[in-house]
């Protein structure tokens, strides 16, 4: 059969490796990463956390503000579950879609609960003598991420 | 290690004015409970006799900002809510903040630039014209 421009797909053909070798390689990588975590050779950890219907990329000692009211008082320590990704300098742990709770621990404290700046909500319709003005003030909470810890229990 | 940002709360009112009724009720009933619940805030109550300025709740924060809120014709519960709100705040100005996050170390694995994840021959050779 003659070869036309549509016989083979335009992307380069990828050969998948052997499944047995693949599993061996996976086990090797997991053992190495576990060893690294248990010896504690990682520097700064960052994590992607789903919180207040938004995904944040957080490291330790950084500030986050949300536009809602949390039920915790000022100064309470909060543990964040729903961690999607954890990474360090040499390795990243990607969850599908979440990582296990016995693997990562993200702690934060509530620093302040203020209100936002007064936003103006105005409707004006010209030549119709219609206008409406409302000032909206949202409650906000500020959190500070204290620590992100990982434990060597991969599989 | 949490430090409350409110330094002191000063309650200035006059015992004879009619609109300071809520302030007087707050001082009689709820001030002690409020002070017990927030042990790291100092609450000063200073009644000034005679017709003076309007009753005011002044909050001073650790970075020096002073916020005054009128408490004229407010009930005691509203004053309690106001006081807790002021106690939970910090002394920053309430203006539009541009970003809801702040980090000192934004990149851990190195910031992305267009040459990451590309074969390193590009950094050595650089971009060059392909022959037509």
């Amino acid at each position: 059969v003659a070869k036309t421009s549509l016989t083979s797909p335009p992307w380069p053909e990828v050969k998948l490796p052997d499944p047995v070798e693949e599993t061996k390689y996976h086990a090797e990588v997991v053992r190495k990463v576990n060893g690294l975590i248990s010896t504690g050779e990682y520097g700064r950890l960052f994590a992607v956390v789903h919180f207040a219907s938004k995904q944040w990329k957080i490291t330790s000692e950084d500030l986050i503000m949300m536009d809602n009211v949390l039920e915790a008082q000022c100064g309470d320590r909060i543990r964040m579950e729903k961690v999607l990704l954890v990474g360090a300098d040499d390795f990243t742990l990607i969850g599908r879609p979440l990582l296990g709770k016995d693997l990562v621990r993200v702690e934060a404290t509530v620093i302040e609960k203020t209100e936002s700046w007064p936003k103006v909500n105005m409707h004006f319709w010209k030549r119709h003598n219609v206008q409406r003005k409302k000032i909206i003030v949202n409650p906000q909470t500020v959190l500070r991420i204290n620590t992100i810890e990982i434990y060597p229990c991969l599989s | 290690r949490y430090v409350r940002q409110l330094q002191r709360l000063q309650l200035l009112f006059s015992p004879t004015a009619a609109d300071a009724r809520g302030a007087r009720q707050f001082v009689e009933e709820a001030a002690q409970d409020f002070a017990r619940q927030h042990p790291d805030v100092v609450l000063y109550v200073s009644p000034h006799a005679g017709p003076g300025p309007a009753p005011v709740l002044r909050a001073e924060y650790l970075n020096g900002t002073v916020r005054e809120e009128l408490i004229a014709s407010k009930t005691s519960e509203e004053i309690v809510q106001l006081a807790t709100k002021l106690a939970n705040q910090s002394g920053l100005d309430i203006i539009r903040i541009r970003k809801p996050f702040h980090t000192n170390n934004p990149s851990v694995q190195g910031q992305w630039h267009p040459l990451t994840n590309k074969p390193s021959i590009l950094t050595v050779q650089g971009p060059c014209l392909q022959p037509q």
Side-chain angles (χ1 to χ4, degrees):
Chain A
V1 181
K3 280 213 183 318
T4 57
S5 62
L6 291 180
T7 39
S8 59
W11 51 82
E13 194 188 316
V14 171
K15 263 194 69 174
L16 286 178
D18 230 0
V20 175
E21 278 183 23
E22 189 81 17
T23 39
K24 269 199 292 186
Y25 181 65
H26 284 334
E28 168 86 29
V29 165
V30 162
R31 227 169 6 99
K32 238 185 180 172
V33 172
N34 252 337
L36 271 183
I37 298 173
S38 48
T39 45
E41 278 173 7
Y42 46 84
R44 252 194 123 89
L45 276 180
F46 73 93
V48 170
V49 151
H50 187 284
F51 197 65
S53 77
K54 280 182 278 284
Q55 298 189 2
W56 312 81
K57 182 189 100 86
I58 52 184
T59 43
S60 48
E61 347 155 345
D62 70 346
L63 289 168
I64 278 184
M65 191 164 85
M66 33 213 62
D67 231 356
N68 57 3
V69 170
L70 286 173
E71 278 171 4
Q73 299 304 313
C74 279
D76 285 355
R77 240 179 129 90
I78 287 182
R79 194 205 155 173
M80 291 205 212
E81 298 154 11
K82 283 205 221 171
V83 180
L84 297 135
L85 223 193
V86 159
D89 208 8
D90 295 321
F91 60 90
T92 33
L93 305 169
I94 309 176
R96 308 193 190 162
L98 299 176
L99 287 173
K101 285 200 247 178
D102 50 345
L103 189 52
V104 196
R105 194 181 168 88
V106 179
E107 300 230 317
T109 25
V110 181
I111 290 190
E112 62 171 302
K113 289 157 69 157
T114 50
E115 308 200 323
S116 72
W117 68 298
K119 302 186 195 175
V120 175
N121 180 15
M122 179 133 186
H123 282 263
F124 180 80
W125 196 6
K126 58 184 179 183
R127 295 185 295 268
H128 286 258
N129 197 18
V130 169
Q131 54 175 327
R132 196 175 81 214
K133 184 168 174 178
K134 189 170 174 182
I135 297 184
I136 299 185
V137 177
N138 297 322
Q140 291 170 334
T141 27
V142 178
L143 299 177
R144 175 158 241 137
I145 312 291
N146 295 120
T147 49
I148 306 178
E149 295 155 6
I150 41 173
Y151 307 107
C153 32
L154 289 170
S155 66
Chain B
R1 21 145 227 126
Y2 165 68
V3 176
R4 196 180 290 278
Q5 294 281 330
L6 184 67
Q7 252 183 325
R8 41 191 119 90
L9 267 177
Q10 276 172 329
L11 191 60
L12 307 165
F13 67 105
S14 79
T16 40
D19 47 0
R21 181 159 54 105
R24 272 175 270 144
Q25 274 180 343
F26 170 73
V27 163
E28 281 162 28
E29 296 154 17
Q32 273 215 336
D33 303 328
F34 182 79
R36 294 252 169 70
Q37 275 161 18
H38 306 263
D40 39 356
V41 173
V42 192
L43 178 65
Y44 294 96
V45 175
S46 55
H48 46 79
V56 131
L57 178 62
R58 190 196 289 169
E60 291 174 33
Y61 293 97
L62 285 174
N63 51 1
T65 37
V66 178
R67 247 191 94 168
E68 292 187 347
E69 305 254 345
L70 281 184
I71 41 179
S73 7
K74 277 202 178 134
T75 57
S76 154
E77 288 93 13
E78 283 174 20
I79 298 180
V80 161
Q81 275 166 17
L82 238 187
T84 40
K85 183 189 93 158
L86 286 172
N88 285 338
Q89 279 176 350
S90 84
L92 302 164
D93 298 330
I94 301 191
I95 47 169
R96 180 177 82 93
I97 33 166
R98 290 158 209 248
K99 302 187 242 192
F101 43 83
H102 171 79
T103 26
N104 288 330
N105 308 72
S107 86
V108 170
Q109 290 178 355
Q111 219 177 20
W112 184 88
H113 53 90
L115 284 171
T116 48
N117 299 335
K118 288 266 162 64
S120 62
I121 193 84
L122 285 173
T123 39
V124 174
Q125 252 185 16
C128 54
L129 271 180
Q130 299 297 327
Q132 292 285 326

